[in-house]
């Protein structure tokens, strides 16, 4: 958003420093693994070496006798309650009951006085397995000859989706051109720099868990359910969190097992995953196998789309049902068309579980769509930006799957991206081996419905002004996992009250001291938690103004507050400092507080799965990438990326662009380098940060992040999404730029030098 | 380099951390990372992979950046270390720390201590690095939040302030 439109604000729209930055640059910020609780033991989990095996027996006697070991537990010592995150598919237990379903599955656990003793004890547990044939290829998982992984999922089908909007066959018949292409996605994973960690304390029938979590609320809900406790007897506290990206949205064995060990020993127990365990827990990107058919008119107008998917869900369901629906639901968002068919099988394999990762289910289909759209443009002799403009969504429209779009500046994004990238001078005009390509995306601003059925509001906030009126504290359940929600929510509170950012303190993400909020996922907090904060702040403002009116003998309507000064509009000499009025308020009436909450309007259609993809608001983005390809080696160097985002009003420009840069970076890693690979026994071959190739500072291009003017009526002050949307366009824009550079089309992520090199040689073969 | 004295199964190690001298008894397999975190409570030194891949545990060993997970405590004998807790001097942030805040180079913050120490080591040996040199200096420090854009800017801005 331009300076001109943000000028009216005192605190929002400004790049204030992050509220926790000083603690983070000095090492004072405490993450879960940094905490020590008196009497604390260290927990370790024994994990399966087999992808699929029956547990015949477990002998823990030797481990129990090791000095320093306080407890050894197996499935018989813990609740057998099935859990998960999609209520229709609870299929995981704290420790494996009968079978292990993946390498790294949870078999037994130990609590000991220190890590070394705990690790030694794991080695003393004897487990006898009957190794079973494993399902390792998602494309074969549904075949008759494959073993069935879960008794309740026949042919290993986790979910089967068939959605049919309009009449896609008719659309194809009316089309000038119909193309079918097949694309293959990769198993990427979040790689938060902080591994999952939890400390559980069991005292007087109450369980307290410090956890590296994206959602204290969901953790509290699931942990209470699994252990049969009242929610009020489970307290989840989020210390500083070192990144999540979707991987810390549900409790892991770190929470469940440490809680079970704490209950058994009566002592606090800490579990910190090592890096390999983070790969075992996974919940990363589903590898999607996509067959996409699209029909267009001569002018490039899209008439119909049919997507057929098989996606690899891995061992447990986790949030995978939603991921599967998102893979289809987001396709009709950014381009307008009326006929769409979506067929998807999410299948189980004996590999780590897949779930939500930045852009949830949508980035790989977007890669397929953006790639195919370029192929169609080529056949029609159209410029790739032109074909996108022909189809670009307009504001105040409804998608064919009943997603209501308010603000939408996608057209402006396309135009600005074309301008700032120098597209016209570059497209088709760069020297051999160099190319430019476009990819686009759009994303939700918070999910329209929570993950389990509840009538709770999605966000809530309390603001309390101190007795002296010098500071105000925001109590909020929203979860800062690094993206900066504590900062921007504090800015919003200050703006709403009429005080300075520096006057704000924040207490966040603790189920006991802060009001309910669903947490950090689906790019929801700026809009949803922001609404609650604005309401709470405005309630404080209203009370202050009422008292000030009395003290100044003025009418409420004539008063305003700006940066701690309460004044009569038009006669600014009639004023009172904020602290004077706030202090007087406390003396006369007690605590000065405001509260707020937010529930989105009822959204979405009536068909099966209609809730997925609903949101109060949608962001849009266009991304252009420029590449250089070495045809000898297949090495691709991305030199520049330009991202133009339609994200509504900006609360903190620095943090906003940092979100775009980070989201784009995650898309870039998935596009170019990242893939978890397995051997023929289902053992991960690169479950470490040396061989799972997260891009380094030397691998990333120059990134320019720009915005278009936009105002979202459904958001407080006009805000909407920014944290995930920029992940979606990157893979397609890279593939399209590579095509522009060397004339070869890649259908298979990641776009490695080997694949580029092979595609070049394939092209050179005489046909 | 000093020589650690063996006492039974333990070794006496003398080292300086953030200007303070310590003599401690360590096991042969204790890493410098665990010594700093568990014994001295310098938890700003982060554990990200324990294999030397991520750089979150970077500290300065005689002003050179090392992965503290790959240094044994016994090897630390006779050396001087700076952790992130030792960068702020007398309540005043180092220019590099200030620039990490100003440029919004910090998101989750888990890589920040290692990044700042790698950046500091670079600026000590090369006060006016090029962007390429900055990227090389932090090439062993992984960040998952920022795409490095603002981290590179912050180090360059701190270098600019040197002149």
């Amino acid at each position: 958003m331009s300076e001109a439109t943000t000028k009216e604000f005192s605190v929002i729209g400004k790049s204030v420093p992050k509220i926790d930055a000083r603690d983070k640059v000095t090492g004072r910020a405490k993450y879960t693994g940094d905490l020590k609780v008196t009497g604390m033991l260290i927990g370790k989990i024994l994990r399966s070496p087999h992808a699929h095996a029956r547990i015949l027996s477990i002998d823990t006697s030797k481990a129990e006798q090791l000095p320093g070991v306080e407890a050894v537990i197996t499935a018989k010592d813990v609740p057998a309650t099935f859990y998960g995150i999609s209520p229709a598919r609870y299929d995981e237990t704290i420790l494996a009951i009968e079978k292990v379903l993946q390498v790294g599955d949870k078999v037994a656990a130990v609590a000991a006085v220190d890590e070394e003793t705990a690790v030694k004890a794991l080695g003393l547990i004897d487990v006898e397995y009957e190794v079973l044939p494993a399902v390792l290829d998602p494309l074969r998982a549904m075949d008759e000859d494959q073993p069935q992984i879960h008794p309740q999922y026949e042919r290993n089908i986790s979910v089967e989706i068939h959605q049919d909007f309009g009449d896609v066959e008719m659309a194809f018949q009316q089309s000038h051109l119909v193309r079918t292409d097949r694309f293959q996605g990769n198993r990427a994973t979040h790689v938060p720099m902080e591994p999952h960690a939890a400390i559980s304390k069991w005292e007087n029938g109450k369980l307290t868990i410090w956890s590296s979590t994206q959602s204290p609320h969901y953790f509290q809900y699931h942990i209470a359910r699994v252990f049969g406790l009242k929610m009020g007897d489970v307290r989840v506290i989020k210390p500083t969190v070192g990144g999540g990206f979707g991987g810390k949205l549900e409790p892991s064995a770190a929470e469940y097992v440490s809680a079970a060990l704490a209950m058994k020993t009566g002592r606090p127990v800490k579990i910190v995953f090592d890096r390999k365990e983070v790969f075992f827990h996974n919940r990363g990107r589903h590898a999607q196998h996509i067959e996409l058919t699209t029909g267009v008119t001569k002018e490039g107008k899209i008439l119909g789309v049919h997507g057929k998917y098989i996606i690899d869900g891995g061992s447990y369901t986790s949030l995978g049902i939603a991921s599967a629906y998102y893979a289809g639901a987001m396709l009709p968002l950014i381009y307008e068309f009326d006929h769409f068919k979506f067929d998807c099988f999410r299948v189980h394999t004996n590999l780590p579980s897949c779930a939500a990762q930045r852009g949830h289910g949508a980035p790989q289909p977007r890669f397929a769509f953006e790639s195919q759209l370029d192929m169609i443009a080529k056949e029609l002799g159209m410029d790739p930006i032109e074909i996108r403009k022909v189809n670009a969504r307009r504001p105040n429209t409804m998608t064919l799957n009943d997603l209501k779009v308010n603000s939408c500046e996608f057209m402006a994004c396309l135009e600005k991206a074309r301008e700032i990238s120098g597209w016209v001078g570059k497209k088709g005009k760069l020297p051999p081996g160099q190319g430019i390509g476009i990819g686009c995306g759009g994303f939700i601003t918070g999910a329209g419905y929570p993950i389990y059925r509840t009538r709770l509001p999605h966000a809530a906030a309390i603001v309390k002004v101190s007795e002296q009126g010098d500071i105000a504290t925001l109590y909020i359940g929203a979860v800062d996992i690094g993206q900066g929600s504590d900062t921007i929510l504090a800015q919003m509170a200050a703006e709403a009250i009429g005080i300075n950012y520096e006057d704000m303190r924040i207490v966040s993400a603790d189920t006991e001291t802060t009001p309910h909020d669903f947490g950090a996922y689906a790019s929801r907090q700026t809009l949803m938690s922001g609404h609650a904060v604005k309401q709470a702040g405005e309630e404080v403002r209203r009370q202050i103004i009422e008292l000030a009116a009395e003290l100044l003998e003025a009418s409420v309507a004539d008063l305003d507050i700006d940066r701690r000064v309460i004044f009569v509009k038009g006669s600014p000499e009639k004023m009172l400092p904020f602290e004077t009025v706030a202090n007087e308020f406390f003396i006369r009436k007690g605590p000065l507080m405001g509260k707020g909450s937010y529930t989105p309007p009822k959204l979405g259609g009536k068909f099966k799965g209609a809730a997925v993809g609903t949101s109060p608001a949608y962001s849009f983005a266009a991304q252009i990438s420029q590449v250089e390809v070495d045809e000898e080696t297949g090495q691709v160097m991305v030199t520049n990326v330009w991202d133009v985002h339609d994200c509504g009003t900006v609360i903190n420009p620095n943090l906003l662009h940092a979100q775009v840069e980070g989201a784009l970076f995650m898309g870039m890693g998935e596009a170019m380098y990242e893939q978890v690979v397995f051997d023929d026994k289902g053992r991960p071959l690169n479950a470490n940060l040396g061989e799972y190739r997260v891009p380094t500072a030397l691998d990333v291009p120059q990134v320019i992040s720009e915005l278009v003017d936009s105002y979202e009526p459904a958001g407080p002050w006009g805000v909407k999404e920014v944290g995930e949307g920029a992940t979606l366009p990157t893979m397609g824009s890279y593939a399209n730029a590579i095509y522009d550079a060397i004339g070869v089309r890649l259908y298979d992520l990641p776009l490695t030098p080997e694949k580029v090199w092979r595609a070049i040689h394939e092209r050179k073969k005489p046909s | 380099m000093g020589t650690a004295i063996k006492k039974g199964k333990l070794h006496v190690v003398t080292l300086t951390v953030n200007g303070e001298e310590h003599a401690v008894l360590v096991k042969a397999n204790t890493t410098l990372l665990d010594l700093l975190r568990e014994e001295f409570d310098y938890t700003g030194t982060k554990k990200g992979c324990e294999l030397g891949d991520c750089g979150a545990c970077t500290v300065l060993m005689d002003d050179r950046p090392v992965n503290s997970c790959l240094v044994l405590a016994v090897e630390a004998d006779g050396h001087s270390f700076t952790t992130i807790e030792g960068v702020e001097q007398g309540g005043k942030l180092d220019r590099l720390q200030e620039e990490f805040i100003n440029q919004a180079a910090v998101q989750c913050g888990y890589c920040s201590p290692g990044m700042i120490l790698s950046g500091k080591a670079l600026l000590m040996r090369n006060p006016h690095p090029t962007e390429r040199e900055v990227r090389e200096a932090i090439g062993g420090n992984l960040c998952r939040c920022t795409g490095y854009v603002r981290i590179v800017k912050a180090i360059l801005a701190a270098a600019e302030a040197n002149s």
Side-chain angles (χ1 to χ4, degrees):
Chain A
M1 176 149 295
S2 66
E3 280 299 313
T5 44
T6 56
K7 227 175 242 167
E8 60 186 288
F9 302 123
S10 305
V11 188
I12 64 174
K14 300 197 170 19
S15 290
V16 301
K18 280 188 81 175
I19 209 160
D20 53 1
R22 195 178 173 105
D23 283 345
K24 285 177 172 175
V25 300
T26 52
R28 279 196 291 270
K30 293 287 183 196
Y31 300 71
T32 302
D34 302 335
L35 301 176
K36 291 176 180 131
V37 181
T38 309
M40 188 172 82
L41 301 169
I42 300 298
K44 281 279 167 193
I45 298 161
L46 181 70
R47 292 176 177 275
S48 167
H50 306 295
H52 195 193
R54 199 173 302 286
I55 299 169
L56 300 177
S57 66
I58 306 178
D59 180 358
T60 58
S61 55
K62 275 182 281 180
E64 280 159 26
Q65 283 156 21
L66 185 72
V69 171
E70 297 293 317
V72 184
I73 56 172
T74 66
K76 67 176 172 29
D77 305 299
V78 297
T81 314
F82 284 94
Y83 66 79
I85 194 161
S86 292
R89 303 281 194 292
Y90 286 155
D91 53 22
E92 190 166 0
T93 53
I94 300 176
L95 294 168
I97 290 176
E98 191 195 333
K99 284 204 307 181
V100 287
L101 304 189
Q102 63 161 92
V103 172
D105 211 348
K106 313 156 293 279
V107 176
V110 168
V113 290
D114 56 29
E115 188 178 6
E116 195 175 337
T117 309
V119 170
K120 200 180 276 179
L122 291 185
L124 295 174
I125 300 173
D126 286 323
V127 186
E128 203 185 335
Y129 295 99
E130 176 197 347
V131 178
L132 303 169
V135 183
L136 301 176
D137 178 358
L139 297 182
R140 290 203 57 223
M142 292 185 284
D143 292 354
E144 293 297 334
D145 67 336
Q146 292 285 295
Q148 189 170 323
I149 299 171
H150 292 268
Q152 66 273 41
Y153 306 141
E154 278 178 24
R155 291 173 58 220
N156 297 315
I157 297 170
S158 163
V159 67
E160 183 175 347
I161 306 169
H162 302 287
Q163 293 180 335
D164 201 348
F165 305 94
D167 185 344
V168 83
E169 286 310 320
M170 184 204 69
F172 290 158
Q173 278 164 23
Q174 290 173 357
S175 293
H176 167 73
L177 171 67
V178 178
R179 259 198 88 99
T180 299
D181 297 285
R182 288 182 176 197
F183 300 89
Q184 190 182 319
N186 44 338
R187 252 183 184 268
T189 193
H190 321 85
V191 188
M193 294 317 301
E194 180 208 18
H196 301 61
I199 302 171
S200 292
K201 187 174 83 169
W202 174 246
E203 221 169 53
N204 304 323
K206 183 178 165 185
L207 183 61
T208 301
I209 305 185
W210 291 264
S211 163
S212 177
T213 172
Q214 291 179 230
S215 173
H217 172 79
Y218 286 131
F219 279 41
Q220 180 193 31
Y221 173 81
H222 288 295
I223 289 163
R225 191 186 146 270
V226 168
F227 287 100
L229 299 169
K230 285 193 296 191
M231 276 179 79
D233 285 336
V234 178
R235 178 181 184 184
V236 179
I237 304 168
K238 179 210 72 104
T240 310
V241 168
F245 315 110
K248 295 173 179 172
L249 189 50
E250 61 188 303
S252 71
E255 287 80 21
Y256 287 121
V257 173
S258 67
L261 288 167
M263 288 173 167
K264 172 119 181 175
T265 59
R267 290 172 64 175
V269 176
K270 180 199 266 190
I271 292 184
V272 180
F273 282 2
D274 63 28
R275 187 50 66 178
K276 206 167 186 172
E277 291 181 286
V278 179
F279 279 86
F280 289 148
H281 178 67
N282 190 40
R283 324 286 150 152
R285 189 81 72 212
H286 289 70
Q288 304 187 2
H289 300 261
I290 303 170
E291 185 187 292
L292 196 63
T293 303
T294 301
V296 296
T297 66
K298 271 208 298 281
E299 295 75 30
K301 179 87 194 80
I302 301 166
L303 295 182
V305 176
H306 186 184
K308 294 192 214 170
Y309 299 54
I310 295 175
I311 73 176
D312 177 7
S315 53
Y316 298 101
T317 300
S318 180
L319 194 56
I321 306 298
S323 319
Y325 276 100
Y326 269 114
M330 291 287 100
L331 266 192
L333 177 61
I334 69 171
Y335 304 116
E336 294 181 3
F337 52 93
D338 296 330
H339 306 281
F340 176 48
K341 207 166 167 212
F342 171 50
D343 297 300
C344 177
F345 292 90
R346 180 184 190 265
V347 297
H348 284 291
T349 57
N350 293 112
L351 297 173
S353 310
C354 302
Q357 183 173 341
R358 208 168 197 166
H360 201 182
Q364 292 179 7
R366 186 48 58 200
F367 156 71
F369 201 95
E370 295 296 311
S371 297
Q372 192 180 51
L373 201 53
D374 260 40
M375 291 186 252
I376 290 170
K378 173 92 182 160
E379 283 196 48
L380 295 177
M382 284 180 82
D383 177 82
I385 294 181
E386 284 309 313
I387 198 168
R388 286 168 172 81
K389 285 178 68 177
V390 166
N391 293 289
R393 178 155 302 283
R394 293 159 298 169
N396 304 311
T397 52
M398 185 79 96
T399 68
L400 59 89
N401 51 342
D402 295 339
L403 308 180
K404 186 173 170 286
V405 174
N406 308 317
S407 65
C408 173
E409 300 298 336
F410 185 33
M411 193 71 89
C413 291
L414 286 165
E415 278 164 7
K416 189 160 185 179
R418 172 159 65 186
E419 180 197 318
I420 63 172
S421 65
W423 176 271
V424 175
K426 289 175 179 170
K427 177 66 185 166
K429 295 171 190 154
L430 291 169
Q434 293 185 32
I436 191 164
I438 186 164
C440 300
F443 204 61
I444 57 172
T445 310
Y449 296 87
I451 297 174
Y452 70 94
R453 198 178 282 271
T454 171
R455 293 176 57 230
L456 284 172
H458 288 221
I462 299 170
V463 171
K464 182 169 77 71
V465 178
S466 69
E467 293 75 5
Q468 294 73 28
D470 51 351
I471 59 158
T473 306
L474 171 62
Y475 297 86
I476 184 124
V479 186
D480 196 328
I481 54 174
Q483 83 285 41
S485 61
D486 279 355
T487 302
I488 60 115
L489 294 171
Q491 281 182 269
M492 287 172 152
E495 182 73 41
I497 301 169
I499 59 176
N500 298 313
Y501 170 67
E502 293 73 21
D503 308 330
M504 288 305 307
R505 305 291 180 268
I506 187 162
V507 176
S508 64
D510 174 340
T511 56
E512 200 153 293
T513 58
T514 67
H516 160 79
D517 190 294
F518 284 120
Y521 66 99
S523 297
R524 54 180 295 287
Q525 295 186 152
T526 305
L527 187 147
M528 296 191 176
S529 312
H531 263 302
V533 168
K534 183 166 187 277
Q535 224 179 78
E538 285 171 352
E539 194 173 309
V540 168
R541 183 192 191 99
R542 183 175 51 72
Q543 295 173 80
I544 274 281
I545 285 197
E546 277 170 13
L547 181 57
E550 204 181 315
L551 299 174
L552 287 167
E553 296 175 348
S555 84
V556 165
D558 290 340
L559 290 188
D560 201 359
I561 316 181
D562 186 25
R563 282 164 274 206
R564 304 188 66 85
V565 179
I566 303 154
F567 59 95
V568 177
K569 284 180 258 180
S571 349
E573 71 288 351
K574 286 189 77 180
M575 57 76 76
L576 281 170
F578 178 86
E579 57 271 23
T580 305
V581 185
N583 179 246
E584 188 60 26
F585 187 100
F586 193 87
I587 291 164
R588 294 191 188 186
K589 304 182 183 183
L592 172 53
M593 292 172 58
K595 64 188 177 61
S597 72
Y598 173 77
T599 303
K602 198 171 157 30
L603 296 164
K606 295 264 183 275
F607 56 92
K608 190 166 195 282
V612 175
T614 58
S615 177
Y618 298 87
S619 70
F620 298 86
Q623 234 171 58
I624 292 178
S625 305
Q626 191 170 334
V627 301
E628 289 177 25
V629 184
D630 182 335
E631 295 205 36
E632 286 297 308
T633 61
Q635 190 78 39
V636 176
M637 193 169 79
V638 182
T639 55
N640 303 81
V641 180
W642 297 266
D643 180 284
V644 182
H645 217 85
D646 160 19
C647 60
T649 302
V650 179
I651 302 300
N652 185 317
N654 266 352
L655 297 193
L656 178 123
H657 290 294
Q659 280 301 298
V660 170
E661 291 152 8
L664 192 162
F665 164 76
M666 193 156 264
M668 177 197 165
E670 293 185 56
M672 303 296 280
Y673 305 107
E674 297 179 29
Q675 181 162 33
V676 187
V677 289
F678 301 89
D679 69 8
D680 62 0
K681 300 275 193 295
R683 292 175 294 213
L685 291 167
N686 58 345
N688 60 69
L689 299 183
E691 292 158 299
Y692 181 86
R693 297 197 48 222
V694 170
T696 72
L698 291 163
D699 301 315
V700 297
Q702 294 293 330
V703 175
I704 304 287
S705 164
E706 295 249 5
L707 307 175
V708 290
D709 276 343
S710 152
Y711 183 91
E712 171 52 51
W717 292 287
V719 304
K720 56 180 181 173
E721 184 279 338
V722 71
E724 299 181 74
T727 301
L728 276 77
T730 314
M731 303 162 199
S733 86
Y734 280 15
N736 290 338
I738 292 169
Y739 181 84
D740 187 52
I742 56 170
V744 302
R745 177 56 63 182
L746 297 175
Y747 298 86
D748 181 0
L749 294 168
L751 312 170
T752 59
E754 181 183 339
K755 289 176 196 165
V756 174
W757 186 88
R758 284 184 191 283
I760 291 168
H761 283 256
E762 203 61 35
R763 182 192 57 182
K764 284 180 181 162
K765 266 189 206 160
S767 52
Chain B
M1 181 159 187
T3 312
I5 305 158
K6 200 170 174 183
K7 286 191 84 176
K9 281 185 177 174
L10 298 174
H11 303 257
V12 182
V13 169
T14 308
L15 73 168
T16 305
V17 185
N18 300 331
E20 262 182 65
E21 209 172 304
H22 299 270
V24 286
L25 284 171
V26 301
K27 289 183 184 172
N29 63 354
T30 300
T31 62
L32 174 61
L33 171 61
D34 280 333
L35 178 67
L36 292 172
R37 287 178 57 86
E38 304 303 326
E39 182 78 23
F40 302 141
D41 223 13
Y42 287 128
T43 55
T45 310
K46 298 299 179 206
K47 198 179 259 197
C49 70
E50 299 174 85
L51 289 168
D53 292 326
C54 77
C57 67
T58 302
V59 298
L60 302 188
M61 180 173 184
D62 306 323
D63 293 340
R64 295 172 67 88
V66 294
N67 287 316
S68 62
C69 71
L70 297 183
V71 177
L72 288 170
V74 290
E75 294 177 289
D77 191 55
H79 293 278
S80 177
F81 297 88
T82 306
T83 73
I84 191 65
E85 290 88 348
V87 176
E88 185 181 9
Q89 294 288 332
K92 189 170 163 24
L93 293 183
D94 187 271
R95 184 61 192 241
L96 195 51
Q97 291 170 309
E98 281 176 13
E99 290 300 342
F100 266 67
I101 297 173
N102 297 341
Q103 305 290 334
V106 179
Q107 288 194 34
C108 85
Y110 207 75
C111 76
S112 305
M115 284 287 181
I116 289 167
L117 288 164
S118 287
K120 193 161 172 57
L122 169 70
L123 297 184
M124 283 193 287
R125 65 177 185 268
N126 177 3
H128 304 289
T130 62
E131 181 180 332
R132 177 78 194 176
E133 286 166 337
V134 169
R135 289 182 181 274
E136 278 168 3
I138 59 168
N141 294 81
L142 296 179
C143 168
R144 196 56 165 165
C145 298
T146 65
Y148 309 99
V149 177
R150 283 159 199 277
I151 293 172
V152 171
K153 271 189 202 160
I155 297 172
L156 287 171
E160 183 76 18
N162 279 340
S163 53

